[in-house]
Each structure stands twice: as C-alpha cells, then as structure tokens.
C-alpha cells in the first residue's frame, strides 16, 4: 500500500479551493483518501471543501474500528457523505458569507473487506492497470447527462460551454447521496483521484502513460501537476494516487 497527494492553485486562480486528505490506519490495515473541490466564492469554497474532507475522513477513520464486512464499509461511506453534507449545508444556512457554498467529494476506502470509491460531483476516480485505464466514477454534471442521453459526444463535452455545471454537490441540499463503486484491485494496480482542474487538462491515456512511466508515485503526481501547469492550468488542480 502506497499513496501520495499534491494540490496546486494553478496559473489563474488566486485561491486554492481544492483539498485532499489521506489517512492510513495501520492497526486495521485500512486507508481513506479524499479529494474535494469547493465552490461558492474564495472563502466559502475553501470552507466547504475543507469541512467536507475533514468530516468525511474523521467519520471513516472512526468506523474502521467497528468494520467487520464489506456491508459495514458501504454503510460507513454513505453515512460519512451524509454527515459531511449535513455539516456543510448547516454552515451555509447559518453563515451569510457561506450561503450557497458546496463542494465535490471523491474518496477511496481501502479495507481488508474490500475497496470502495464514493463520489459526489465531478471530481473523478480512475482505476489504472498495466493494460489500461478506466474511469470509475461518472460525473454529476450537465454535460455528463447530455453524453449519457446521446445528445452530445464525449468529444463535444470536452469543450462544452456548460462543462463546469455540476448537478450534485456536498452542502447544496439538505440531503445528498453519493454514488458507490466496489473495485477489485490487483497487485500494483493504481487508483487516481483528482479534481476537474486536472482531468480537464489531461486525457485518460496521458494519465495511464505518466503513471506507468516511473515507479515513484510522488514523482508521478508532480509530473501530472506540471503537465497541467504547462497547459495553462486555469483552475486549481489536485491529484491523489494510491498503489495497491
């Protein structure tokens, strides 16, 4: 088990509303990795992402102590998303400066009972193997829905004017559910978590190439951020990489 994360403000934004958290529970041989991308103004977006990442991670870490099955892991993931949403939504309702704030969330849970990814919004998770790369999550966005309905192609979605409009986010409604994915990880498989500031700059095959190009996952993450920066990085960019 190996992991690394890095976040960068990018070349245009003054503030970084992206946040990542990585926690490894050695006694339970478990880990939780989270990426959140905040929205709602510089201060509010940062509060939303930081709060969601902290609440979600702490809830999962507490649940590691009582997990005995994959069903327990699934329940913990759903409960942690619900709690993060509750806290962020309440803060937005009570603080006028935070009203309307929200955040994406994508997380990987690694446990002896199985591995899960859960997401809300358009931050992504990818499963990377020696022979290919697969996007695990499906964006909760306007363009993703248009693609699934066959109204536009994936190529058209890449430059669509509504590309950044998301349809689901932590903290924007009293109740929010995340999409849950069970994944089987082979030896030396990778899971990449990232904000859209990175996935908008780098294609799937480029992710695959950079990840397999070198053994040091810290250098891989640095290379991906550098690639986004070389292409202008108009948004905050964050990557977290896990190697099984």
């Amino acid at each position: 088990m190996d992991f690394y994360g890095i976040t960068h403000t990018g070349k245009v934004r003054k503030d970084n509303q992206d946040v990542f958290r990585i926690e490894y529970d050695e006694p339970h041989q478990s880990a939780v990795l989270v990426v959140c991308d905040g929205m709602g103004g510089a201060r509010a977006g940062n509060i939303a992402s930081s709060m969601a990442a902290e609440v979600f991670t702490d809830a999962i870490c507490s649940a590691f102590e009582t997990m005995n099955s994959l069903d327990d892991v699934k329940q913990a993931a759903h409960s942690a998303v619900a709690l993060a949403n509750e806290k962020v939504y309440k803060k937005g309702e009570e603080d006028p400066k935070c009203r309307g704030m929200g955040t994406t969330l994508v997380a990987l849970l690694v446990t002896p009972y199985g591995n899960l990814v859960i997401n809300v919004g358009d931050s992504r998770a990818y499963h990377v193997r020696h022979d290919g790369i697969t996007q695990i999550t499906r964006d909760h966005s306007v363009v993703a829905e248009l693609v699934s309905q066959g109204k536009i192609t994936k190529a058209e979605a890449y430059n669509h004017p509504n590309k950044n409009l998301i349809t689901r986010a932590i903290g924007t409604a009293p109740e929010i559910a995340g999409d849950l994915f069970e994944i089987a990880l082979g030896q030396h498989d990778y899971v990449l978590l990232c904000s859209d500031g990175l996935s908008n700059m780098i294609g799937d095959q480029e992710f695959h190439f950079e990840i397999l190009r070198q053994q040091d996952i810290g250098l891989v993450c640095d290379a991906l951020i550098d690639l986004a920066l070389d292409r202008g990085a108009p948004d905050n960019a964050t990557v977290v990489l896990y190697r099984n």
Side-chain angles (χ1 to χ4, degrees):
M1 189 184 295
D2 199 6
F3 33 74
Y4 189 85
I6 186 172
T7 185
H8 196 287
T9 305
K11 286 196 166 182
V12 175
R13 302 287 178 88
K14 293 182 179 179
D15 303 290
N16 192 348
Q17 298 181 35
D18 284 4
V19 172
F20 74 88
R21 288 279 301 269
I22 300 172
E23 295 290 341
Y24 174 53
D25 186 329
E26 186 172 4
H28 298 97
Q29 290 297 293
S30 298
V32 55
L33 305 89
V34 184
V35 169
C36 291
D37 178 0
M39 59 188 188
R43 177 175 175 271
N46 184 61
I47 290 173
S49 58
S50 298
M51 183 180 295
E54 180 178 0
V55 172
F56 180 90
T57 304
D58 289 350
I60 295 298
C61 287
S62 295
F64 281 149
E65 298 181 7
T66 57
M67 287 179 184
N68 293 299
S69 68
L70 182 59
D71 284 342
D72 289 344
V73 183
K74 292 178 179 179
Q75 181 58 50
H78 283 306
S79 296
V81 161
L83 183 61
N85 183 73
E86 177 187 336
K87 297 294 187 182
V88 175
Y89 182 78
K90 184 178 180 181
K91 176 69 174 178
E93 289 290 294
E94 294 177 348
D95 187 342
K97 294 180 180 178
C98 295
R99 192 149 297 154
M101 72 177 181
T103 181
T104 69
L105 182 147
V106 62
L108 169 66
L109 280 63
V110 180
T111 79
Y113 313 105
N115 311 302
L116 299 177
V117 165
I118 192 164
N119 82 294
V120 179
D122 63 354
S123 292
R124 293 180 177 178
Y126 294 88
H127 183 186
V128 182
R129 304 169 305 281
H130 179 74
D131 60 350
I133 179 170
T134 304
Q135 184 177 331
I136 300 168
T137 53
R138 188 177 77 86
D139 297 350
H140 298 139
S141 68
V142 171
V143 294
E145 290 186 0
L146 292 174
V147 170
S148 67
Q149 294 166 4
K151 295 181 177 178
I152 62 173
T153 65
K154 287 186 178 181
E156 290 171 332
Y158 192 79
N159 292 309
H160 197 278
N162 293 328
K163 182 177 178 61
N164 294 323
L165 295 181
I166 61 175
T167 56
R168 201 187 308 181
I170 297 285
T172 58
E175 295 184 0
I176 288 290
D179 288 346
L180 196 63
F181 306 87
E182 182 180 348
I183 54 172
L185 295 176
Q187 188 176 12
H188 304 309
D189 280 8
Y190 297 79
V191 175
L192 181 147
L193 308 178
C194 66
S195 62
D196 69 335
L198 195 72
S199 59
N200 284 342
M201 296 287 100
I202 301 174
D204 292 6
Q205 295 309 312
E206 291 176 307
F207 278 135
H208 186 251
F209 173 79
E210 291 294 338
I211 288 170
L212 297 184
R213 188 164 63 92
Q214 50 193 335
Q215 290 297 311
D216 188 315
I217 63 170
L219 294 179
V220 172
C221 291
D222 289 342
L224 291 172
I225 292 294
D226 286 344
L227 189 55
L229 291 171
D230 287 344
R231 295 174 179 178
D235 197 359
N236 309 147
T238 299
V239 57
V240 168
L241 189 60
Y242 169 85
R243 179 168 56 203
N244 200 34

